[in-house]
Amino acid sequence: MSTSTMTDPPGLPSHTADQHDLIRVQGARENNLKDISVDIPKRRLTVFTGVSGSGKSSLVFATIAAESQRMINETYSAFVQGFMPTLARPDVDRLEGLTTAIIVDQERMGANPRSTVGTATDANAMLRILFSRCGSPYVGPPTAFSFNVPTRKASGVMSTDKGGRVQKSVVKDAVYLGGMCPRCEGMGSVSDFDLTALFDETRSLGEGALTIPGYSMDGWYGRIFSGAGFDIDKPLARFTKKELDDLLYKEPTKVKVEGINLTFEGIIPKIQKSMLSKDVEAMQPHIRAFVERAITFQPCPECHGTRLSPEARSSTIRGKNIAELCIMQIDELAAWVRALEEPSVAPLVKGLQHLLDSFAEIGLGYLSLDRPAGTLSGGEAQRTKMIRHLGSSLTDITYVFDEPTIGLHPHDIQRMNGLLIQLRDKGNTVLVVEHKPETIAIADHVIDLGPGAGAQGGSVCFEGSVDGLRASDTITGRHLDDRAAVKASVRRPTGILEVHDAATHNLQDVDVDVPLGVLCVVTGVAGSGKSSLIHGSIAGREGVVVIDQGAIKGSRRSNPATYTGLLEPIRKAFAKANGVKPALFSSNSEGACPTCNGAGIIFTELGVMATVESTCEDCEGRRFQASVLEYTLGGRNIAEVLAMSMTEAEHFFSEGDARTPAAHKILDRLVDVGLGYLTLGQPLTTLSGGERQRVKLATQMAEKGDVYVLDEPTTGLHLADVENLLGLLDRLVDSGKSVLVIEHHQAVMAHADWLIDLGPGAGNDGGRVVFEGTPADLVASKTTLTGEHLAAYVGS
């Protein structure tokens, strides 16, 4: 008979159910995991550590969280499952003790220009209800305050079929109120087209007058223009005013081309739908270059950038309209709501107040509700997703976090740690993938994976307490107490990059000289204006190469070899060695396995049931025809080469029959940036934010840039790899480049030649340069938050 525990309510004996206090993983083999088994304590904070690529995400996200979500989805009807994302069962023998998993990851919040911080959370919806109930004068229902809903009017006859009889009623004027500004259609800005960038009027359509990406006259466009009645052999300069107006602005019109019904639409509305409906940051490079060249954006003159109709802006509460509230900094808006006394909507006001206070509590009080969601950093997006869980009454949930300290100043990490502990103390299981020692230190349980990355990783090196990890001989244990020292001597600048009157976002007319020829680090708390200064005043100048953590465009067929251009010299080397065409060595071209079309996987659609993924039996997942795999280079076929790690491939292409200098040069750069563990054929969609940035860095190192701008390059880097990164930055500077880094990691700050610290706070409390000088001077003065934390880090 079991005995009562201290946690049992009075008089309630312990129960068999109380024994389920572990999440048991047995035989996990997802990605590089080597048949591992671990026991994770429930209702505790467990941190997963290990070098980049050691298998942390494979265990936490691809195994535990994925199976939890898959099993929850299976509780819904087959019909409902048909509308849900398809989740394959992870490669694991057994999982026990799973609870509902909520994933809070670093994925950006989408690049839809209509999405703002307010719409992505519930704040805008609550404000719209508040104004529809309490706004004066009364304008209409909540939709009347939504910039995504247009006002629609209808009139005519409405018919209703009742029991075989049609009942008709006349509708004079039905108005469906929306808050969208009719001029800018709720975008806040209007576009003005430079027509000279759209076409060359000296040419005819047939001669390629249109200079818009994708508008080739060889395909259907040429036929559609002919079918719409345009003379494709007449130069555009000789078009009549009506013809040119139709070409540019005509409404969608049905045309018949070679017996096929097609639609012709004017060029400008077509561009607005296909290109301007996307966020600029999400566009492919050549499309983005065209948009930036051909189109200028300016605040809408009618709504002044608020996106709202005059009616929506006319309704006020305590002298403020909804647009003015959305522009306010969130912590100021929270104070305004707190002073609101409206008994009729008290529950709504209380809910809104809690939501806004959560923003401040999580360190995002400097944002405003009208901030486009696509402009949030990965760390800001992750913390915004956390907000809805902070006040939740749910317990016994598994919360899964992916490096929650990303984008956080050392000053803010303590606050984040408090939030993680708060979630745990409510009776939840908190699983955190993390590299920062400050967060590892608060763990109840640590699981360290490794010992290396990729094929050298995937094993459990340590399980236990933080003190046990520190005493262990693992890579993480040895580097947990690493501290970089301030450099004894710093480089002298070779010139300066002047910034005058910078006023992007919260910058307060900043004047600063950025030194060239040195390693310059820009620091400051989250929201202090670092990115605004760099991206608003330095990026875009000639010779400046910006390398951020944004998503790399590409499908699951894309991999580091295709993205970096590495596959081109490899294919040519194979073709030359075997006397055949290079296209045979592309899984997207002639060499593709005909059964799976070069995907390596067969997808079987089962209607409303889950789609089944199975390895192609003909090529066994290698993606190439069997005849192609008979061709070798240096004793290896193309599939074996794509399965190599970067380090292995660098050695392979450096000597012997496989020697390929062009490929070796690119591989050398990929290994140099710390990606030696990735395989050449690994899908880009599986890379982390830090890995994406380093792939971009390896690619951009071949460009003829003079100034390299890196946005938090330590993201996703293990403590042991930060030293390698510092060596890489030093090599870049020593080769004659100027390196400018936005960074929160104290090791990078200490290693800098020059620091520019922004602050003193975030949002309206930031936007000023509070320190310029060497790290040693900042440590000695300790005049800023960064100075205090850097001094503590280096032990001064």
Side-chain angles (χ1 to χ4, degrees), residues 60 145 250 420 599 630 675 735:
V60 180
F145 298 92
K250 195 173 182 71
L420 295 174
E630 292 175 7
L675 293 176
S735 69

Side-chain angles (χ1 to χ4, degrees), residues 270-449:
K270 187 92 172 171
I271 291 173
Q272 286 173 325
K273 288 177 186 175
S274 64
M275 297 181 189
L276 303 192
S277 62
K278 297 175 184 173
D279 186 69
V280 176
E281 298 295 327
M283 294 176 181
Q284 291 174 293
H286 69 291
I287 303 274
R288 179 175 176 173
F290 163 75
V291 168
E292 290 175 345
R293 183 177 71 249
I295 303 154
T296 55
F297 297 91
Q298 57 190 29
C300 173
E302 289 190 13
C303 69
H304 308 293
T306 62
R307 306 170 177 237
L308 290 163
S309 64
E311 292 80 11
R313 286 180 281 127
S314 69
S315 183
T316 62
I317 298 175
R318 289 180 56 217
K320 297 278 188 184
N321 65 34
I322 192 169
E324 290 169 331
L325 295 183
C326 288
I327 291 169
M328 289 170 72
Q329 196 164 294
I330 286 176
D331 49 13
E332 294 173 2
L333 176 58
W336 184 87
V337 171
R338 200 172 289 112
L340 201 60
E341 293 181 7
E342 295 286 349
S344 61
V345 288
L348 176 68
V349 172
K350 186 178 179 183
L352 179 59
Q353 183 182 320
H354 177 269
L355 177 64
L356 297 174
D357 286 342
S358 295
F359 270 100
E361 185 184 349
I362 210 163
L364 294 177
Y366 60 87
L367 297 177
S368 60
L369 295 183
D370 70 341
R371 170 89 173 260
T375 65
L376 298 182
S377 68
E380 286 170 334
Q382 187 176 35
R383 279 176 283 150
T384 301
K385 293 173 195 171
M386 274 184 78
I387 286 170
R388 66 176 62 250
H389 306 300
L390 291 179
S392 173
S393 300
L394 294 171
T395 60
D396 248 334
I397 302 289
T398 298
Y399 285 98
V400 185
F401 291 94
D402 189 5
E403 292 190 63
T405 59
I406 282 178
L408 286 184
H409 188 272
H411 173 69
D412 298 315
I413 290 178
Q414 192 172 353
R415 179 186 282 164
M416 174 58 73
N417 286 349
L419 293 170
L420 295 174
I421 291 169
Q422 182 183 328
L423 283 172
R424 178 204 65 190
D425 290 350
K426 283 172 61 179
N428 297 303
T429 304
V430 181
L431 309 182
V432 183
V433 173
E434 189 52 84
H435 291 294
K436 290 279 175 69
E438 297 96 325
T439 299
I440 296 172
I442 66 165
D444 301 309
H445 189 69
V446 179
I447 296 176
D448 188 39
L449 281 93

Side-chain angles (χ1 to χ4, degrees), residues 575-592:
K576 186 178 178 182
N578 294 282
V580 292
K581 290 192 295 184
L584 279 176
F585 303 98
S586 169
S587 61
N588 296 326
S589 187
E590 292 181 28

Side-chain angles (χ1 to χ4, degrees), residues 33-311:
L33 296 180
K34 293 175 177 168
D35 204 24
I36 67 171
S37 299
V38 291
D39 288 346
I40 301 165
K42 285 187 183 178
R43 294 172 287 280
R44 297 292 184 271
L45 174 57
T46 301
V47 174
F48 294 80
T49 60
V51 297
S52 300
S54 61
K56 303 182 299 297
S57 295
S58 297
L59 176 59
V60 180
F61 292 94
T63 303
I64 298 170
E67 181 64 356
S68 171
Q69 292 203 317
R70 189 185 72 84
M71 295 181 81
I72 289 168
N73 287 0
E74 282 188 353
T75 64
Y76 297 106
S77 68
F79 176 74
V80 173
Q81 287 183 49
F83 298 98
M84 292 178 152
T86 301
L87 300 171
R89 189 185 187 283
D91 189 2
V92 59
D93 291 337
R94 193 171 182 182
L95 281 167
E96 291 180 359
L98 290 180
T99 68
T100 303
I102 293 176
I103 298 173
V104 188
D105 58 20
Q106 304 166 26
E107 286 302 312
R108 301 288 173 120
M109 295 182 70
N112 186 334
R114 292 188 177 279
S115 179
T116 64
V117 169
T119 60
T121 58
D122 293 328
N124 262 50
M126 290 178 171
L127 278 177
R128 291 198 296 266
I129 297 170
L130 181 66
F131 271 82
S132 71
R133 301 293 186 272
C134 305
S136 178
Y138 175 78
V139 173
T143 55
F145 298 92
S146 171
F147 54 75
N148 287 327
V149 179
T151 295
R152 292 165 294 168
K153 297 180 181 178
S155 61
V157 178
M158 183 168 66
S159 301
T160 310
D161 194 346
K162 288 186 176 179
R165 289 180 295 111
V166 177
Q167 185 178 338
K168 295 186 177 182
S169 56
V170 177
V171 180
K172 288 186 178 177
D173 279 307
V175 179
Y176 302 92
L177 281 172
M180 179 186 286
C181 169
R183 171 73 189 276
C184 65
E185 297 184 2
M187 301 293 282
S189 62
V190 289
S191 52
D192 190 18
F193 286 81
D194 176 4
L195 298 183
T196 60
L198 301 184
F199 58 79
D200 178 357
E201 65 175 10
T202 63
R203 297 183 178 186
S204 67
L205 289 171
E207 293 170 334
L210 299 181
T211 54
I212 307 161
Y215 279 67
S216 165
M217 292 300 111
D218 298 335
W220 278 103
Y221 274 117
R223 302 181 205 178
I224 291 173
F225 284 125
S226 298
F230 294 103
D231 183 350
I232 64 169
D233 296 320
K234 183 165 74 171
L236 266 57
R238 288 170 46 202
F239 269 37
T240 64
K241 189 176 180 182
K242 173 77 167 60
E243 286 174 329
L244 191 59
D245 190 79
D246 282 350
L247 178 69
L248 295 175
Y249 301 103
K250 195 173 182 71
E251 294 289 315
T253 309
K254 297 289 183 189
V255 296
K256 200 153 198 166
V257 179
E258 299 174 13
I260 300 171
N261 290 322
L262 297 170
T263 301
F264 169 77
E265 186 176 13
I267 292 167
I268 286 179
K270 187 92 172 171
I271 291 173
Q272 286 173 325
K273 288 177 186 175
S274 64
M275 297 181 189
L276 303 192
S277 62
K278 297 175 184 173
D279 186 69
V280 176
E281 298 295 327
M283 294 176 181
Q284 291 174 293
H286 69 291
I287 303 274
R288 179 175 176 173
F290 163 75
V291 168
E292 290 175 345
R293 183 177 71 249
I295 303 154
T296 55
F297 297 91
Q298 57 190 29
C300 173
E302 289 190 13
C303 69
H304 308 293
T306 62
R307 306 170 177 237
L308 290 163
S309 64
E311 292 80 11

Side-chain angles (χ1 to χ4, degrees), residues 777-791:
D777 291 340
L778 181 59
V779 167
S781 66
K782 299 181 188 174
T783 52
T784 69
L785 283 171
T786 305
E788 290 173 18
H789 285 276
L790 184 58

